[in-house]
Amino acid sequence: LPARVSRVSEVHCVGGGTLLLWLLLRAKRLPSRIGRVVIHGPIVLPTAESCSQWAREAAPQYIASDYEWRRQALCLGLAGALRPPEQEWLAPVLRTIASGQSGELALDMLRYRDRWEAAGRLTYGAPPSEEWDCEEAEWCFVWPEPPDQPEPATAAVLRRQEQLLSSLDVA
C-alpha cells in the first residue's frame, strides 16, 4: 500500500488470508485503521496445527509437525537471516514459535479478531466455492480509502474492487 494511505476501508480474507492479515499488521505494512474485516471460511492461526489443518485442504505437501514448525522458525529467525531493518519485526514472532509458544501468537491474533468484533467491524462471508474459480484464493484483499475521505458508499467500494481485480494479471 502507498505510504499515504492511513485507513483501509475493507479487507476480505480467504484461506490463509487471516494469517496474512495478522502478519501484515504485525509488520506495520497495513494501517491499523481498518473499516471492515470480512472473513470467508475458517481462521488460520499462527500455529503448526492450524496451518496444517488449512494445508490439508489447500496444499497437502506443506503439512508440518510442531517440531518442523519450530525448527524452521529457528533456522529462519535465529540463524541471522533477518538482518535488514525491514525484516526485524519478524524476529519476535520466530522466537516465540521456536520456543514452542505459538499459542501466544494465536492469542494475539484472536485479540485483533475480538477487537474488530466488539467494534462491529467483523463479518463472516460465505466460504470460497467453485464459483470463485481462482487459483489465488489464499489472498487477503485490501481496499484502501483515499486520505481524509468519508466511508465510501457500497457502489464506490464495488467499483474499487472491480478496479483492483481488473488490474491483477491472473493467468
Side-chain angles (χ1 to χ4, degrees):
L1 286 178
R4 67 182 185 280
V5 174
S6 63
R7 182 176 168 88
V8 172
S9 141
E10 195 167 296
V11 175
H12 285 254
C13 299
V14 180
T18 51
L19 181 58
L20 176 58
L21 175 61
W22 177 75
L23 288 168
L24 288 168
L25 289 166
R26 291 286 301 240
K28 297 183 178 16
R29 299 292 195 269
L30 265 183
S32 60
R33 295 175 57 197
I34 299 174
R36 186 171 89 133
V37 176
V38 183
I39 298 174
H40 301 274
I43 293 174
V44 179
L45 298 170
T47 65
E49 180 182 350
S50 183
C51 288
S52 289
Q53 185 176 6
W54 167 55
R56 273 186 204 91
E57 299 167 15
Q61 69 272 26
Y62 295 115
I63 294 174
S65 66
D66 188 56
Y67 170 79
E68 182 63 19
W69 182 258
R70 292 174 65 187
R71 190 177 80 78
Q72 291 298 326
L74 183 66
C75 291
L76 178 61
L78 303 182
L82 297 176
R83 293 286 183 227
E86 64 272 5
Q87 296 175 345
E88 289 177 359
W89 67 271
L90 190 54
V93 171
L94 296 174
R95 272 194 298 274
T96 303
I97 292 170
S99 67
Q101 298 184 4
S102 295
E104 295 300 316
L105 299 175
L107 289 174
D108 180 60
M109 185 173 169
L110 292 172
R111 279 191 283 274
Y112 281 99
R113 183 209 55 191
D114 294 346
R115 187 170 46 219
W116 296 325
E117 201 164 46
R121 296 179 302 158
L122 176 65
T123 56
Y124 294 91
S129 67
E130 303 300 319
E131 296 171 12
W132 286 55
D133 192 29
C134 181
E135 292 294 320
E136 288 77 20
E138 310 311 323
W139 291 17
C140 173
F141 292 101
V142 177
W143 287 279
E145 284 183 15
D148 302 320
Q149 294 290 322
E151 285 289 319
T154 302
V157 170
L158 291 175
R159 277 193 306 276
R160 260 193 230 126
Q161 290 174 358
E162 289 172 14
Q163 290 169 346
L164 177 65
L165 291 174
S166 67
S167 70
L168 295 174
D169 185 21
V170 180

